[in-house]
């Protein structure tokens, strides 16, 4: 009687339909619940508040690259400041975590016992203590234990480090900067063609060309030569101590440093394990084979181990980048002015538009996460095995 | 269809009006009675105003206000529950119905009263925003703070006042925004900022919690008006009345010389206002939907306004606040100034 229940086709359709109904029902429940509650509280949602003058300072003047102006900037500008501050933490965190993770992952496989012990201790120490605790340790325990503003540690009288911030010189946006940028772009284009030529030559003659070292030289020298020919030089704005604080230049707040350090050390530990797994996944037969055809150790890593290890490394790496970005919202614990702190925190409190602000914040994190996923998927396709 | 809607609306209005005139009920009071406790949003930790002691018992000036409501309703001040709310979360907690009233030094402002959907029903502390700095800086006035790093608590009126003050005086500042006052204090004590700004009463409370309170001074400038008081949801006027008149009872009791010690004797006082206050005559409490002696209960369990003030934040406590503006309107402070505490009469 119930024989149709055992038909594969019926079951497929039935469970698909069931899933859709449950999902739609849940969506409707959310919508209904929100709209009735808003009506009950007499709140009309809308985004007009984004054009109102914010009236508070959401970022320090030493790190105000979006040009927030207390006198006329709006809650919309607070949103921009927050996104910017979140992104610079996430980007720097991803870069440092990747470097740290690769170094530690390789060290953990080292035959040198001390090195591999240091790497193991790092990984276990980071992974077994909650991130929030690390953020508090970095900020309250390490950064705030630094010297006072007047007792700043100075490097060549242009960089000053104290418990509040790292004061750096800021390059002024003159023709020289544009020339350097132009030079770098020209160098990249040159390297692209150089690589093509080198690959072709290797295919035809079997001889290698040191593309990597030449590229590094080119990236440095093309802008330098351009500057010399044009007779320009970069002018810098140096930080100076005036009153309570250093002014001019860039001041990276201590809370920013603490966030980048905590996030990259913490995520670096997970990346180290991913890298270690990736390298161990390349069977020793591959390495023996590479050795038997006469490749040198450097070439073995570059042409045999790393390309195969990357296939294992890249997919889990993506999720580490995603967690790092989302974990940056813990910044509120130490008063760093990220999106959650200034927009979802202060703007929401001052305007009372909780629903809109939470939605915008979610949208931002979702977009960033999707962007990272898309980029890493593209990268993954490039390193994945090309099946013929 | 249209007719039906109109009819339904008209019926609704008539029913609502009838219910209003007969019952004068309060939904909040009903839920409070059903739950057997008043739920107050309080500061998560502000010495003297609201903080748990070493046994986890909440104590303080704002806590006693909450206990006064419980005393008025249940004749038992312990029938309270405290919901710690940061500057950011306090209004959401009240709005969502998780609490019945905010007794957490919240400033009465236009936007909060009108746009956010709340009612401020009175003032239990007249405050103003001030600045605290380390003595080593040798600073005498807030006008000398140009370029300073300032610790602020987010989600409060202080960050707006601060920005306004610096804008008006053409000065700049570096903000260090943190979520709760304890965090700001640690930042300030460790030197992450030069200045700590918040309401003057909170500054005094925070200073007492610093390791070396004597090393810090509060600057003379008060840059804002901060009338702090209990907040209820807009729309339940009867509940608002209960909160307003419980607070007024404490102030009027001080005015009339009714104290925790003499409240029993005062019941036989000849003064008609005392008799009305304590519920001996007049039947005022019944009009609120409470017992006639609701004010008597408050004074018996908690004390009058002045007693509560001196017990938690007065000059003989580590907080050491003068009555100042918070003295009664007809009393003189030691420096010759008058207070502005003026509660409507029990009549």
């Amino acid at each position: 009687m119930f024989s149709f229940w055992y038909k594969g086709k019926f079951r497929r359709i039935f469970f698909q339909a069931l899933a859709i109904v449950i999902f739609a029902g849940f969506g409707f429940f959310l919508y209904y619940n929100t709209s009735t509650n808003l009506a009950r509280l007499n709140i009309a949602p809308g985004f007009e508040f984004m054009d109102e003058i914010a009236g508070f300072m959401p970022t320090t003047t030493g790190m105000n690259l979006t040009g927030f102006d207390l006198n006329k900037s709006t809650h919309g500008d607070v949103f921009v400041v927050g996104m910017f501050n979140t992104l610079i933490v996430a980007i720097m965190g991803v870069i440092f975590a990747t470097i740290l993770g690769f170094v530690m992952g390789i060290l953990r496989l080292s035959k040198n016992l001390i090195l591999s012990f240091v790497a193991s201790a790092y990984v276990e120490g980071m992974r077994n203590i909650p991130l929030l605790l690390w953020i508090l340790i970095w900020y309250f325990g390490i950064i705030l234990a630094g010297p006072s503003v007047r007792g700043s540690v100075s490097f060549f009288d242009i960089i000053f480090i104290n418990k509040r911030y790292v004061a750096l010189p800021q390059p002024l946006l003159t023709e020289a900067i544009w020339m350097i940028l132009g030079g770098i772009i020209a160098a990249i284009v040159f390297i692209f063609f150089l690589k093509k030529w080198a690959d072709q030559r290797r295919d035809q003659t079997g001889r290698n060309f040191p593309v990597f070292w030449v590229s590094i030289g080119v990236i440095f020298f093309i802008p330098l030569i351009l500057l010399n020919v044009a007779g320009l030089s970069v002018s810098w704005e140096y930080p100076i101590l005036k009153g309570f604080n250093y002014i001019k230049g860039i001041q990276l707040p201590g809370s920013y440093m603490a966030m980048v350090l905590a996030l990259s050390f913490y995520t670096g530990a997970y990346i180290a394990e991913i890298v270690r797994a990736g390298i161990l996944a390349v069977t020793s037969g591959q390495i023996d084979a590479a050795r038997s055809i006469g490749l040198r150790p450097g070439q073995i890593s570059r042409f045999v181990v790393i390309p195969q290890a990357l296939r294992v490394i890249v997919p889990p790496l993506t999720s580490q980048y995603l967690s790092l970005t989302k974990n940056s919202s813990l910044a509120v614990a130490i008063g760093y002015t990220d999106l959650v702190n200034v927009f979802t925190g202060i703007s929401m409190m001052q305007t009372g538009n909780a629903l809109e602000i939470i939605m915008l914040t979610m949208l931002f994190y979702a977009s960033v996460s999707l962007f990272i996923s898309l980029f890493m998927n593209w990268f993954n396709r490039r390193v994945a095995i090309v099946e013929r | 269809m249209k007719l039906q809607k109109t009819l339904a609306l008209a019926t609704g209005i008539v029913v609502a009006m009838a219910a209003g005139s007969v019952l004068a009920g309060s939904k909040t009071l009903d839920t409070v009675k059903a739950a057997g406790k008043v739920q107050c949003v309080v500061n998560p930790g502000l010495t003297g105003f609201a903080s748990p002691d070493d046994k986890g018992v909440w104590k303080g000036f704002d806590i006693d206000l909450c206990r006064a409501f419980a005393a008025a309703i249940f004749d038992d001040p312990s029938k309270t529950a405290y919901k710690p709310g940061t500057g950011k979360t306090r209004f959401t907690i009240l709005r969502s119905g998780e609490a019945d009233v905010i007794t957490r030094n919240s400033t009465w402002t236009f936007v909060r009263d009108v746009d956010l959907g709340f009612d401020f029903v009175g003032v239990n502390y007249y405050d103003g925003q001030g600045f605290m700095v380390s003595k080593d800086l040798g600073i005498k006035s807030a006008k000398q703070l140009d370029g300073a790093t300032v610790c602020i608590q987010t989600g409060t009126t202080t960050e707006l006042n601060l920005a306004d003050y610096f804008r008006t005086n053409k000065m700049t500042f570096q903000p260090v925004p943190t979520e709760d006052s304890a965090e700001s204090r640690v930042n300030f004590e460790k030197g992450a900022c030069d200045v700590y700004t918040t309401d003057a009463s909170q500054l005094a409370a925070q200073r007492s919690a610093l390791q070396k309170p004597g090393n810090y001074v509060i600057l003379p400038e008060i840059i804002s008006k901060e009338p702090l008081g209990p907040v209820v949801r807009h729309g339940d006027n009867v509940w608002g009345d209960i909160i307003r008149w419980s607070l007024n009872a404490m102030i009027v009791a001080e005015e009339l010389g009714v104290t925790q010690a003499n409240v029993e004797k005062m019941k036989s006082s000849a003064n008609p206002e005392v008799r009305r206050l304590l519920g001996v005559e007049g039947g005022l409490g019944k009009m609120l939907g409470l017992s006639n002696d609701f004010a008597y209960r408050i004074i018996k369990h908690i004390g009058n306004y002045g007693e509560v003030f001196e017990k938690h934040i007065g000059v003989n406590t580590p907080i050491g606040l003068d009555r100042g503006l918070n003295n009664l309107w007809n009393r003189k402070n030691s420096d010759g100034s008058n207070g502005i505490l003026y509660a409507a009469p029990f009549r």
Side-chain angles (χ1 to χ4, degrees):
Chain A
M1 189 179 165
F2 289 112
S3 64
F4 63 87
W5 180 249
Y6 297 101
K7 279 202 179 118
K9 195 176 173 195
F10 171 78
R11 282 195 167 198
R12 272 198 301 278
I13 294 171
F14 177 75
F15 283 110
Q16 293 271 355
L18 192 68
I20 290 172
V21 167
I22 291 174
F23 183 75
F26 181 65
F28 177 74
F29 166 73
L30 281 185
Y31 170 78
Y32 176 78
N33 193 33
T34 312
S35 55
T36 45
N37 276 314
L38 284 178
R40 184 172 62 82
L41 295 167
N42 280 326
I43 299 173
F47 288 93
E48 294 82 17
F49 72 95
M50 297 285 276
D51 295 326
E52 284 166 23
I53 288 188
F56 64 92
M57 194 66 198
T59 190
T60 54
T61 41
M63 204 178 68
N64 185 11
L65 299 180
T66 57
F68 191 90
D69 181 354
L70 190 52
N71 289 308
K72 51 176 186 280
S73 290
T74 61
H75 286 291
D77 297 316
V78 174
F79 186 45
V80 174
V81 167
M83 288 193 292
F84 181 83
N85 286 354
T86 291
L87 285 177
I88 54 173
V89 161
I91 291 170
M92 293 313 280
V94 162
I95 293 173
F96 286 125
T98 309
I99 296 172
L100 205 62
F102 272 79
V103 169
M104 286 296 174
I106 291 166
L107 283 189
R108 205 170 173 188
L109 291 171
S110 164
K111 290 193 182 71
N112 183 327
L113 276 182
I114 298 174
L115 285 183
S116 74
F117 175 76
V118 167
S120 306
Y122 160 76
V123 169
E124 296 309 327
M126 288 295 150
R127 289 202 309 176
N128 291 311
I129 293 175
L131 174 59
L132 181 60
L133 216 55
W134 276 118
I135 293 174
L136 296 178
I137 291 171
W138 276 108
Y139 185 62
F140 288 109
I142 298 171
I143 306 259
L144 283 191
S148 67
V149 174
R150 305 220 155 251
S152 294
V153 180
S154 143
F155 293 92
F156 315 109
D157 276 339
I158 54 169
I159 297 172
F160 302 91
I161 298 179
N162 59 54
K163 64 171 78 174
R164 284 187 197 160
Y165 41 75
V166 175
L168 301 167
Q170 181 181 13
L172 293 174
L173 277 181
T174 53
E175 292 153 322
I177 293 293
W178 300 117
M179 189 147 274
I180 289 176
L181 282 178
I184 289 174
I185 291 168
I188 290 171
V189 172
F190 176 77
I191 290 163
F192 179 76
F193 286 108
L194 183 75
K195 174 88 170 74
K196 262 196 159 168
W197 170 81
D199 285 353
Q200 242 172 14
R201 193 178 77 140
R202 190 185 56 210
D203 290 349
Q204 284 164 4
T205 67
R207 277 183 299 169
N208 268 323
F209 185 81
V211 177
F212 181 72
W213 299 109
V214 172
S215 307
I216 287 186
V218 166
I219 287 239
F220 274 99
F221 281 108
I222 289 190
L224 271 183
I225 291 167
L226 276 176
L227 278 187
N228 267 324
V229 169
L232 290 171
S233 62
V234 182
S235 33
W236 299 82
E237 187 185 79
Y238 299 105
I240 40 169
L241 183 60
K242 183 169 173 267
F244 294 95
N245 283 305
Y246 281 86
I247 55 165
K248 302 278 169 68
I250 299 173
Q251 283 103 39
L252 296 177
S255 48
Y256 168 75
M257 308 298 290
M259 279 315 291
V260 171
L261 285 166
L263 286 174
S264 44
F265 270 79
Y266 182 80
T267 314
Y270 288 88
I271 294 179
E273 286 297 273
I274 292 169
V275 169
R276 185 169 73 112
I279 293 172
L280 288 178
V282 181
T283 52
S284 55
Q286 293 273 334
I287 296 163
D288 293 339
R291 221 179 267 139
S292 71
I293 58 170
L295 291 182
R296 289 189 302 273
Q299 289 174 321
I300 295 178
S301 331
R302 256 178 62 211
F303 298 125
V304 179
V305 178
I306 292 179
Q308 298 192 72
L310 274 183
R311 284 167 200 156
V312 181
I313 291 172
V314 169
L317 198 59
T318 311
S319 67
Q320 290 306 321
Y321 289 169
L322 293 179
S323 345
L324 188 146
T325 310
K326 288 177 287 181
N327 285 341
S328 70
S329 60
L330 288 170
V332 68
I334 55 169
Y336 175 64
T337 51
D338 82 321
L339 182 69
V340 173
N341 193 356
V342 296
F343 187 63
T344 323
I346 305 179
S347 284
M348 182 163 114
M349 195 53 234
Q350 306 295 8
T351 63
N353 294 63
L355 191 73
E356 299 85 340
I357 287 180
I358 295 280
M359 260 165 43
L360 279 176
T361 310
M362 284 164 64
L363 194 68
F364 167 75
Y365 281 104
S367 317
V368 171
S369 295
L370 281 176
F371 177 78
I372 294 174
S373 295
L374 284 177
F375 176 78
M376 292 303 282
N377 284 347
W378 167 82
F379 186 65
N380 191 33
R381 271 199 302 279
R382 279 196 58 116
V383 297
I385 294 178
V386 184
E387 292 181 6
R388 289 175 229 260
Chain B
M1 184 69 201
K2 208 171 175 193
L3 183 73
Q4 267 178 345
K5 255 189 190 167
T6 322
L7 263 178
L9 194 70
T11 324
I13 290 171
V14 169
V15 170
M17 278 167 70
S21 59
V22 177
L23 289 168
S26 159
K27 229 179 112 195
T28 314
L29 182 60
D30 294 343
T31 41
V32 165
K33 281 183 172 163
K37 61 194 173 191
V38 184
Q39 307 197 66
C40 302
V41 181
V42 298
N43 198 302
L46 182 62
T47 323
F49 286 87
S51 65
D53 66 6
D54 50 5
K55 291 183 197 68
V57 181
W58 285 86
K59 294 247 163 79
F61 184 71
D62 287 338
I63 297 297
D64 269 0
L65 186 60
C66 182
R67 281 159 47 84
F69 305 145
I73 298 165
F74 299 113
D75 198 15
D76 180 357
S78 66
K79 290 196 168 169
T80 51
Y82 304 109
K83 307 261 167 155
T86 62
K88 223 155 86 178
T89 57
R90 55 183 155 174
F91 293 119
T92 321
I93 296 175
L94 179 66
R95 177 183 291 163
S96 65
E98 277 179 66
D100 309 307
V101 55
I102 301 179
T103 55
R104 181 208 182 276
N105 36 45
S106 299
T107 307
W108 186 348
T109 66
F110 182 95
V111 171
R112 287 174 179 176
D113 201 347
V114 177
D115 191 37
L116 299 189
F118 300 116
D119 275 340
F120 285 76
V121 289
V123 175
N124 74 330
Y125 193 96
Y126 287 98
D127 213 337
Q129 186 174 344
F131 298 101
M132 175 160 64
V133 294
S134 163
K135 265 187 184 156
D136 309 338
L137 291 176
I139 283 178
K140 294 277 172 283
S141 156
K143 297 262 163 64
Q144 292 168 284
L145 292 177
D146 191 13
T149 308
V150 185
C151 281
I152 2 167
Q153 222 185 310
T154 58
T156 62
T157 46
T158 51
E159 60 206 349
L160 302 180
N161 296 331
L162 176 78
D164 285 356
Y165 182 76
F166 275 74
R167 263 160 84 183
T168 318
N169 290 293
K170 301 210 162 41
M171 302 193 293
T172 59
F173 67 98
Q174 310 281 351
V176 178
T178 46
E179 195 161 2
D180 69 45
S181 46
E183 224 174 280
S184 293
R185 189 179 67 230
V186 176
N187 267 307
F188 177 63
E189 192 159 33
K190 291 213 170 204
C193 47
D194 304 297
V195 191
Y196 184 2
T197 185
T198 183
D199 296 348
S201 66
Q202 280 204 51
L203 282 183
Q206 294 291 3
R207 184 166 66 170
S208 74
L210 291 169
Q211 267 161 18
K212 291 178 185 155
N215 286 2
Y216 302 92
V217 283
I218 294 172
L219 298 176
E221 282 89 350
I222 296 292
I223 63 167
S224 68
K225 290 190 290 186
E226 308 283 342
L228 313 177
V231 191
V232 296
R233 283 183 294 274
H234 188 84
D236 191 341
N237 295 0
V238 176
W239 178 247
D241 287 343
I242 291 172
I243 301 298
R244 176 183 301 115
W245 286 98
S246 297
L247 173 61
N248 281 354
M250 295 170 75
I251 298 170
V252 169
E254 190 188 7
E255 234 177 271
L256 298 173
V258 182
T259 65
Q260 200 168 11
N262 72 10
V263 64
E264 209 62 58
K265 234 174 41 214
M266 282 302 225
K267 266 186 146 177
S268 44
S269 159
N271 183 338
E273 191 168 5
V274 173
R275 294 174 70 84
R276 277 196 300 273
L277 173 73
L278 298 181
V280 186
E281 58 184 66
L284 299 183
K286 280 273 184 290
M287 300 176 195
L288 279 177
L290 298 178
S291 153
N292 264 339
D293 63 346
F294 80 100
Y296 163 80
R297 292 170 171 184
I298 295 175
I299 310 304
K300 186 182 70 180
H301 292 295
I302 313 291
N304 68 32
Y305 181 90
E307 288 177 300
V308 173
F309 191 103
E310 294 305 337
K311 180 174 163 197
H312 294 295
I313 53 179
V315 281
N316 295 323
T317 65
I319 319 293
L321 288 168
D322 284 321
R323 281 298 286 275
L325 283 181
N326 297 295
N327 211 340
L328 295 173
W329 59 283
N330 52 5
R331 302 266 169 87
K332 284 240 180 296
N333 288 310
S334 49
D335 63 357
S337 63
N338 259 11
I340 57 173
L341 218 55
Y342 186 103
F346 273 72
R347 175 166 297 282

